[in-house]
Every structure is written in C-alpha cells, then in structure tokens.
Amino acid sequence: MDLFYRGNGMLSGCNFLVTIGYEIFSFSKVSNLVAQVEYDVVQEGGNNEYPLMFPKPKTNPDTLILEKGVREWTVDPMFNSLWEGMQVEQVTILLFQYGILLRKALFFKKGLITKRTFSDLDALRGELLIETLEIAHSGLIEIPV
C-alpha cells in the first residue's frame, strides 16, 4: 500500500509523458488507448449453442491520438520534427501517480504519423489553438511495472 492510498484502489492525480524513440514529449491529452483483436465467427455444425471465435491477423491499424496546445511566441522544434508520413519507433506512454510513482506503461514498436491537424480558428471565441497528431500502429502492449 502506498503512502497516498485512497481506499478504492483507483488511480487518481495522474500525469503522463510520451517517448518517441529517445525523445521525451509532453502532450496535454492522449486518447484512443486501445488494444483490440480482430476475429472470425464460425457456427459449428450440429451444435449451435454458441458461436466459435477465432483470432485473425489485423487488417486495420489502431490509431493513437496526441494533442498539445500551441504556445505563444515560441517554436517547439522537437514537436515540429514530427510530420505526417513519418515513421516512428519505440513509442511509450508512461503514467505516473503524484508525479513520481510509475503506475502504467504502454508501448508500440512501430507506427506511422497519418495526420497532423490544428483546431479551428475562430476570432470570436478566443479558444486555445490545439495541434493534434494521429499515429497508426500495430497495437499497444502493456509493459508490467
């Protein structure tokens, strides 16, 4: 039991960082953290109580979505080194509780940056400008910590 145990066993007060290769990046939001398998369904002849399911090779990649606010008056050369069409390797998402306790680690070996977008510009709303990267990959793996 850690020092800040809250009784329900749930993670709270977490922050995260993302590594791509040997570089560390900070994002304000990471979404679409999905690990899934594709499968075929077959009805067994004579015994139709339940369908049989068999895993099959993936035909569509999973997509990780990374979002970051664009800063005023500065250029982020590391983030600008990531562009659409670029292959990335060794991508890790590290989840920390209270800033120091590593609680989860997710990883994929290779990916492809498929899209880079900016949020809509609307002078009447005064919202933050958000830059989004989408990375197609072959599947997330949870690393035991």
Side-chain angles (χ1 to χ4, degrees):
M1 181 160 61
D2 66 51
L3 183 61
F4 297 101
Y5 181 69
R6 297 208 173 132
N8 61 8
M10 300 299 215
L11 287 177
S12 62
C14 295
N15 57 354
F16 58 90
L17 61 89
V18 177
T19 66
I20 300 175
Y22 298 107
E23 304 293 333
I24 297 173
F25 295 87
S26 62
F27 293 94
S28 46
K29 184 176 179 182
V30 176
S31 57
N32 213 22
L33 294 167
V34 176
Q36 61 186 4
V37 65
E38 294 180 27
Y39 58 92
D40 284 322
V41 177
V42 177
Q43 288 295 132
E44 184 178 1
N47 183 4
N48 294 321
E49 295 174 5
Y50 54 88
L52 300 174
M53 294 174 279
F54 298 98
K56 65 180 185 178
K58 281 188 167 225
T59 56
N60 294 314
D62 296 326
T63 303
L64 181 70
I65 301 171
L66 306 166
E67 295 180 23
K68 179 182 179 112
V70 177
R71 291 185 168 192
E72 185 178 6
W73 307 111
T74 62
V75 175
D76 187 347
M78 275 182 39
F79 190 71
N80 288 337
S81 68
L82 303 172
W83 63 90
E84 60 283 352
M86 178 182 183
Q87 296 230 358
V88 293
E89 294 186 2
Q90 310 294 336
V91 177
T92 308
I93 299 126
L94 301 171
L95 178 65
F96 295 93
Q97 191 173 23
Y98 313 113
I100 56 171
L101 301 171
L102 180 60
R103 295 297 191 191
K104 284 238 181 252
L106 301 167
F107 169 81
F108 61 85
K109 188 173 182 176
K110 291 188 179 208
L112 177 69
I113 300 174
T114 57
K115 189 189 292 187
R116 184 175 178 169
T117 60
F118 290 93
S119 58
D120 293 339
L121 302 175
D122 186 348
L124 300 176
R125 298 190 75 192
E127 295 178 345
L128 294 175
L129 181 61
I130 304 294
E131 188 169 7
T132 304
L133 284 179
E134 291 186 21
I135 302 176
H137 59 89
S138 58
L140 283 175
I141 300 168
E142 186 174 353
I143 302 169
V145 291

